[in-house]
Amino acid sequence: MSHSINHSMSQSMGKSKNQSASHSLTVLKFGGTSVQDALAMQDLVRIVATRKGERLVLVSAMAKVTDQLVELGKSCASGDEKAVQAVVNQLWERHQSVARDLALTPGQQEPLRRLFDQLRALSNSLAILGEVSARSLDDLLSFGELASSRLVCGAFEQAGIPAVWADSRQLIRTDSRFGSAQVHWEETGEQARRVLQPLVARSIVVAQGFIAADGDGVTTTLGRGGSDYSAAILGAVLSAGQIEIWTDVNGILSTDPRRVPEAKTLRRIHYAEAAEMAYFGAKVLHPATIFPALQKRIPVWVLNAKNPADPGTEIVYDTSSVDLCGVAFKTGVTVINIHSTRMLGAHGFLKSVFDVFALHELSVDLIATSEVNISLTLDRQVPANLVDRAIVDLRKISEVDVASGCATVSVIGRKIRETPGLAARLFGEIKDINVRMISMGASELNISFVIEEEHLNSVLRRLHRSLIETGQSG
Ligand code: ADP
Ligand code: ASP
Ligand code: MG
C-alpha cells in the first residue's frame, strides 16, 4: 500500500464528523470453504449466533466458484457458447442444491433466481461479443459473492434468526482499477455508516466480501482473496470492536499446514508480523488486511469455522509475541537478472531500470543489487504479457535473463535482527540447494531468498524443523 493511500486513509478515518464508534460491532468474514455447502452455512449461522451485540457478516463466494467464474470469463472471451452455458448451468445446479438443502422457500430463492438470470444474460452477451474487459470480468466475478450471500441470508432466516442482506457495492467505494481496485476511504466511510448503522442496530447484516463499486456505481473487485480486506475496510470505517476472519485452519500457523503438517498455530501475533507473513505469501490473510485494522487498533482474530472451539490467532498491537514466528512463501515467482557494465560508477542506471517497471505498471517484490547486476522478483499475479513487454524494453539497456518457476521463502519474526548466526544456520540447513537470490535488511522482520520451486517443500520442512520446532522461536 502506498504512503499516499495510507495518508488519505488515516486522514479520512480521523476527521470524519459523524463517525460514531460502534465498539459493540463485530465484523465476521467467512471464506470460501466456510460457505461451501449447506452444512457449512448452518455452522456459520451457529457461530454468528454465539456472538453478542451488532454483527456484520461478510462472505466469500462458495469454494472454487470464483475460479469457475474466471474460467467462464475465458470461455466468453473465446466465444465458446457451449462451454459458457455448461459453466453457468453447473453453478446454478450447485447453488440450487444448497438452497434445497437449506429448505429455502420459493420466496427466499427468488433473489438467487434473478441473479442467475442476470449472470446468464451477461455471459451470453459477452460470449457473442467474444471479448471480456477487466470491467466485465469484475462484473462476472461478483456473482459468486452475491449468490453465496443470498444463501447465507436464507440460512439465518431458516434458523429463525432475523438477518438482512446488504450489497457491498453500496458500502465500499473504490477507483476504477478493475481487478484490484483502490479504496476511496472518505466516501466508503460515509456510505458504510449511512447504510449499515441503522441496519446493524436492528439485526444481523449479511453482505459480500471482495466486491465494491466505483464512483459511477460500476462493480469492482479488491483482488483475489480480497474478502479479508473487505472485513478490515468495513471494520475500520465503522470502528468495530473486533474483526473475525473465519477460515479452514486454526488461525495463522507457523507455515502452510498443507506443506508442513507440523505447522503450529501462532496464538498471539503482532500486527507487524502478521502483515509480514501475509505480504510474503501466507494465503490465510490478504496482505492489505492488517493496515486498516492497525490504524484503528482493532483486534483481529483468525479462526477455524470447522473447529470453532479452537482459540485461533489473535492479532494485537501490544504483545511480547514469539520472536521468530514463521516461514512464508510464494510460488510461481519470476526472477529477472539485469546485467550492465554501464552501471559501474555511473549514476541514473537504476532509475532507467525502474522506469521500465513503472511504465509497464509492474510491481517488484524483492531486489538485490551489486556493482553491475540487479536481481529482482515478480509475483505470479503479474500478467505474463506485461513481463514480456518489460523485458523487451530492459534488453534495450542491458543484458537480461529470466527464470520462471521459482519460489521465494521468507523467515519472519522480530528475532531475526538480533540473533547472531541466524542467517548462517538458516543457509547451513539448505546448503545443498541452489539459492538464486537473498534479500535481508530491508525489513527488520524477515530474511527472504529465492529457490527453484521444486525444492520448496524440502526447504520449508527443514527450516521449520530447525528454526521453529526446536523452540528457537523464543
Ligand atoms: P479462505 O477461503 O477462508 O479465505 P484461504 O484458502 O484463502 O481461505 O486461506 C486459508 C489457507 O491458507 C489454509 O487452508 C492454508 O492452506 C493456507 N495457508 C498458507 N500459509 C498459511 C499460514 N501461515 N497459516 C495458515 N494457513 C496458511
Ligand atoms: N472469492 C474471492 C476469491 O476467491 C475473494 C475471496 O475469497 O477472498 O478470490
Ligand atoms: Mg482467503
Side-chain angles (χ1 to χ4, degrees):
M1 219 187 284
S2 78
H3 282 113
S4 60
I5 293 169
N6 292 352
H7 182 65
S8 75
M9 185 183 102
S10 22
Q11 268 201 331
S12 69
M13 283 182 174
K15 73 179 179 197
S16 170
K17 288 186 281 309
N18 55 353
Q19 179 178 348
S20 65
S22 35
H23 294 301
S24 68
L25 174 71
T26 303
V27 179
L28 303 100
K29 175 263 169 175
F30 290 84
T33 45
S34 312
V35 292
Q36 66 186 353
D37 52 28
L39 288 176
M41 290 184 187
Q42 284 159 343
D43 288 342
L44 176 160
V45 167
R46 274 189 289 274
I47 289 168
V48 177
T50 63
R51 297 306 190 247
K52 304 249 171 331
E54 297 175 348
R55 281 153 286 178
L56 168 63
V57 177
L58 297 177
V59 296
S60 292
M62 291 166 64
K64 304 274 176 325
V65 165
T66 310
D67 289 339
Q68 278 178 287
L69 290 166
V70 170
E71 288 308 311
L72 176 63
K74 288 183 189 155
S75 302
C76 290
S78 60
D80 188 344
E81 289 175 41
K82 253 197 171 146
V84 168
Q85 267 159 26
V87 178
V88 176
N89 288 341
Q90 214 182 327
L91 288 168
W92 168 242
E93 283 304 321
R94 180 157 170 216
H95 286 82
Q96 258 306 98
S97 94
V98 174
R100 271 197 306 272
D101 293 346
L102 291 171
L104 300 193
T105 62
Q108 288 168 332
Q109 290 189 42
E110 189 49 33
L112 194 67
R113 205 177 296 279
R114 280 204 303 272
L115 206 56
F116 272 87
D117 287 345
Q118 287 169 17
L119 177 62
R120 231 172 245 116
L122 173 67
S123 48
N124 286 343
S125 32
L126 291 174
I128 291 167
L129 283 171
E131 199 190 313
V132 179
S133 62
R135 171 179 166 153
S136 314
L137 184 62
D138 273 359
D139 202 354
L140 276 179
L141 297 191
S142 70
F143 281 86
E145 270 71 12
L146 290 169
S148 64
S149 58
R150 288 293 186 185
L151 290 168
V152 166
C153 209
F156 275 104
E157 287 167 12
Q158 282 301 330
I161 301 173
V164 288
W165 184 90
D167 188 332
S168 290
R169 294 171 298 182
Q170 286 165 11
L171 306 175
I172 300 180
R173 171 80 71 84
T174 65
D175 65 9
S176 307
R177 213 176 244 256
F178 299 104
S180 60
Q182 303 292 310
V183 177
H184 287 176
W185 290 96
E186 199 144 350
E187 291 88 337
T188 299
E190 278 161 19
Q191 299 188 141
R193 286 189 288 272
R194 179 170 37 77
V195 176
L196 282 178
Q197 276 173 344
L199 296 180
V200 288
R202 279 208 316 269
S203 76
I204 291 167
V205 179
V206 179
Q208 310 75 40
F210 184 52
I211 67 170
D214 70 8
D216 297 323
V218 178
T219 303
T220 59
T221 65
L222 301 171
R224 292 302 306 269
S227 293
D228 305 327
Y229 186 32
S230 304
I233 296 166
L234 291 174
V237 298
L238 296 166
S239 299
Q242 51 275 317
I243 297 168
E244 298 181 354
I245 306 290
W246 289 87
T247 184
D248 60 355
V249 285
N250 291 341
I252 302 180
L253 278 70
S254 48
T255 193
D256 188 343
R258 283 188 214 173
R259 291 186 186 258
V260 183
E262 293 77 19
K264 57 177 188 185
T265 299
L266 305 166
R267 291 293 172 203
R268 270 168 80 82
I269 177 173
H270 193 271
Y271 278 111
E273 290 162 327
E276 203 85 343
M277 289 287 281
Y279 293 149
F280 287 94
K283 193 190 168 215
V284 65
L285 214 55
H286 185 278
T289 311
I290 296 299
F291 192 74
L294 168 66
Q295 284 285 310
K296 287 289 188 79
R297 301 281 198 274
I298 302 172
V300 178
W301 297 84
V302 182
L303 297 155
N304 190 350
K306 291 185 182 150
N307 184 15
D310 186 276
T313 298
E314 183 184 13
I315 303 171
V316 289
Y317 185 69
D318 293 308
T319 172
S320 53
S321 81
V322 290
D323 296 319
L324 241 188
C325 58
V327 190
F329 61 87
K330 287 188 183 180
T331 56
V333 168
T334 302
V335 180
I336 302 185
N337 280 306
I338 297 160
H339 173 85
S340 171
T341 46
R342 273 177 49 205
M343 255 177 99
L344 203 60
H347 56 85
F349 184 73
L350 276 179
K351 179 178 183 307
S352 57
V353 167
F354 287 108
D355 281 348
V356 173
F357 288 95
L359 178 72
H360 296 282
E361 297 188 352
L362 291 175
S363 140
V364 171
D365 267 8
L366 302 180
I367 307 175
T369 64
S370 75
E371 290 275 1
V372 290
N373 285 293
I374 307 170
S375 289
L376 43 83
T377 66
L378 300 174
D379 206 283
R380 72 168 336 133
Q381 314 273 359
V382 173
N385 60 333
L386 289 189
V387 179
D388 292 345
R389 274 187 251 153
I391 287 167
V392 170
D393 286 352
L394 287 171
R395 290 211 160 110
K396 292 177 191 158
I397 53 172
S398 55
E399 286 169 35
V400 180
D401 59 68
V402 182
S404 50
C406 293
T408 58
V409 178
S410 306
V411 178
I412 290 160
R414 284 189 281 172
K415 199 172 182 178
I416 288 187
R417 264 256 170 111
E418 299 142 27
T419 312
L422 185 84
R425 256 188 49 220
L426 189 167
F427 291 112
E429 285 297 327
I430 55 166
K431 52 180 177 283
D432 55 320
I433 285 169
N434 183 28
V435 175
R436 284 178 163 271
M437 175 182 164
I438 300 173
S439 165
M440 182 187 173
S443 145
E444 292 184 17
L445 290 177
N446 86 78
I447 303 180
S448 296
F449 57 93
V450 180
I451 54 170
E452 267 136 45
E453 208 171 306
E454 59 183 293
H455 302 303
L456 181 61
N457 282 356
S458 158
V459 166
L460 289 176
R461 266 186 250 119
R462 289 193 229 173
L463 293 186
H464 195 268
R465 196 180 320 118
S466 85
L467 301 176
I468 312 278
E469 287 165 42
T470 55
Q472 293 298 322
S473 53

